[in-house]
Amino acid sequence: MLSSIPYDVTRVAWFFGYPMGITDAFLEDMQSTPGMLGIGLGLAIASTVGGVLTHGLIARWGEVWPRWVPFKAGRPVALATAIVPALLVAVVLIPGGLQMIRGGDQPFGWGTNYPAMLWVPWGVALGIATLGYYLRRRGTCGHCARG
């Protein structure tokens, strides 16, 4: 999902010493706090991977394991393997983004919370994609024989 890109770009920029969307003083504070920029980079990478996996809910490779996945290649992806993590992330993204909206302007610059405001549409889109994935993959009902 493209809504993660602003968040990811700002955190990567901070890691490499560019104060994108924040004050120079705040970047210096983060640089002097052990591990802080590394955690931000890790979150940016996780966010990027999450965006790619979100696409898997609508792509063929989200239904059948790709050939490069050892021991799973060509086998169907179990519903719970995709649905459980996607729903958990959607449930976290929406209130997290709403909290950033509620926080409003921050004294350290727009980069501290504006990019994370896009988590709300990402969470909603992820929830909708997860529902669509479930409806498409669930098969026929054993009781009523409907799909």
Side-chain angles (χ1 to χ4, degrees):
M1 185 82 185
L2 297 176
S3 61
S4 70
I5 292 174
Y7 178 86
D8 304 340
V9 168
T10 55
R11 275 44 184 188
V12 170
W14 300 348
F15 182 81
F16 288 108
Y18 298 100
M20 179 180 278
I22 58 171
T23 64
D24 290 334
F26 188 54
L27 179 61
E28 289 172 15
D29 286 345
M30 287 194 294
Q31 289 171 331
S32 65
T33 304
M36 187 170 214
L37 292 174
I39 291 169
L41 179 64
L43 290 171
I45 292 168
S47 175
T48 300
V49 170
V52 171
L53 292 176
T54 297
H55 181 71
L57 294 171
I58 59 171
R60 167 128 171 84
W61 59 266
E63 296 180 16
V64 177
W65 289 100
R67 65 175 173 246
W68 52 266
V69 177
F71 308 108
K72 297 277 188 178
R75 300 167 92 189
V77 173
L79 283 176
T81 301
I83 292 172
V84 171
L87 286 178
L88 288 173
V89 171
V91 167
V92 170
L93 283 175
I94 294 170
L98 290 172
Q99 185 63 32
M100 294 297 122
I101 291 169
R102 185 173 171 217
D105 288 331
Q106 297 293 317
F108 307 114
W110 61 264
T112 56
N113 67 339
Y114 282 16
M117 290 178 182
L118 295 172
W119 291 348
V120 174
W122 182 13
V124 170
L126 180 56
I128 292 169
T130 305
L131 176 62
Y133 182 87
Y134 168 74
L135 293 174
R136 187 175 68 251
R137 300 267 332 271
R138 69 180 175 200
T140 57
C141 175
H143 180 69
C144 67
R146 293 185 187 173

